[in-house]
Amino acid sequence: MDMYKPYISLVKELFPRAKIIMDKFHIINNLSRALNKTRIRLMNKNNKLYNKLKNYWKLLLMDRFELDGVHFYRYKCFDKMMSQRDIVDYLLEEDEELKNTYFVYQNMLSAINQGKTGYLSKLLEQKYNNISSYMKTALKTSKEYKEYIINAVKYGYTN
């Protein structure tokens, strides 16, 4: 199910012994939206990075392990041949808050995709410094639904 409290209360009332499983789409959407809002705020604040952040936003949302670091191409906005991983690394080096927020997102994504419930639980309980307010809010929401998120990873069911 999604992260809508009235649905959760209804299910608890009608099916008191049911294990509630949060849909992975909604979990990841919550986190990716936070990263994207962070990127947009930086994009609107920094004219130098505006076009780069606007054109390569999809690379920031990709799983870091899926980024191509081997093939080099000419990308608009860059003067030299670069790989997808080079572009992401360049963008992250330009802003510490974006970098920290990005790695929180990547760690959460990795824990969810690899089914590591213990690691995910530890990530949700961890205190983070210098991440965006958007990601702090997303993590607060995720922490509130921690049991259901852990169930999603543990049982693998999805909508």
Side-chain angles (χ1 to χ4, degrees):
M1 76 173 36
D2 64 11
M3 296 180 172
Y4 188 55
K5 280 187 184 181
Y7 289 162
I8 294 172
S9 346
L10 179 66
V11 168
K12 282 183 175 182
E13 188 177 315
L14 295 175
F15 307 104
R17 294 184 308 183
K19 289 196 185 278
I20 297 174
I21 299 172
M22 201 65 57
D23 187 40
K24 285 183 185 178
F25 168 81
H26 291 96
I27 300 165
I28 293 173
N29 191 39
N30 180 41
L31 297 167
S32 64
R33 194 176 310 131
L35 178 60
N36 223 7
K37 285 180 179 179
T38 305
R39 175 193 62 84
I40 291 168
R41 186 175 63 198
L42 176 61
M43 187 174 84
N44 291 328
K45 189 172 72 173
N46 188 327
N47 288 337
K48 174 188 166 203
L49 290 178
Y50 183 89
N51 285 330
K52 292 172 182 164
L53 288 166
K54 186 171 179 72
N55 287 315
Y56 305 110
W57 64 274
K58 287 182 183 178
L59 295 179
L60 288 171
L61 295 179
M62 280 178 68
D63 187 326
R64 188 159 178 86
F65 295 111
E66 293 179 14
L67 289 172
D68 184 359
V70 178
H71 299 97
F72 291 79
Y73 301 100
R74 255 212 209 278
Y75 290 94
K76 70 179 183 181
C77 302
F78 291 98
D79 297 337
K80 59 183 178 179
M81 303 278 282
M82 297 183 85
S83 68
Q84 290 177 336
R85 187 167 292 204
D86 291 337
I87 291 172
V88 169
D89 290 343
Y90 172 86
L91 294 173
L92 296 178
E93 288 305 315
E94 294 298 312
D95 186 75
E96 193 68 25
E97 184 182 75
L98 177 65
K99 182 179 187 176
N100 293 336
T101 302
Y102 172 82
F103 282 111
V104 168
Y105 169 77
Q106 287 295 323
N107 289 336
M108 294 287 289
L109 193 64
S110 177
I112 291 166
N113 289 338
Q114 295 176 18
K116 295 181 177 179
T117 55
Y119 181 52
L120 180 60
S121 183
K122 196 183 298 185
L123 289 172
L124 288 171
E125 294 301 324
Q126 192 170 331
K127 299 276 187 222
Y128 294 97
N129 295 322
N130 198 18
I131 62 171
S132 73
S133 58
Y134 303 116
M135 187 57 79
K136 286 179 184 173
T137 303
L139 289 171
K140 183 179 175 187
T141 302
S142 296
K143 193 173 182 180
E144 187 177 331
Y145 298 116
K146 178 181 173 182
E147 177 188 350
Y148 315 132
I149 291 172
I150 297 295
N151 285 343
V153 173
K154 187 176 182 180
Y155 296 111
Y157 291 113
T158 184
N159 286 347

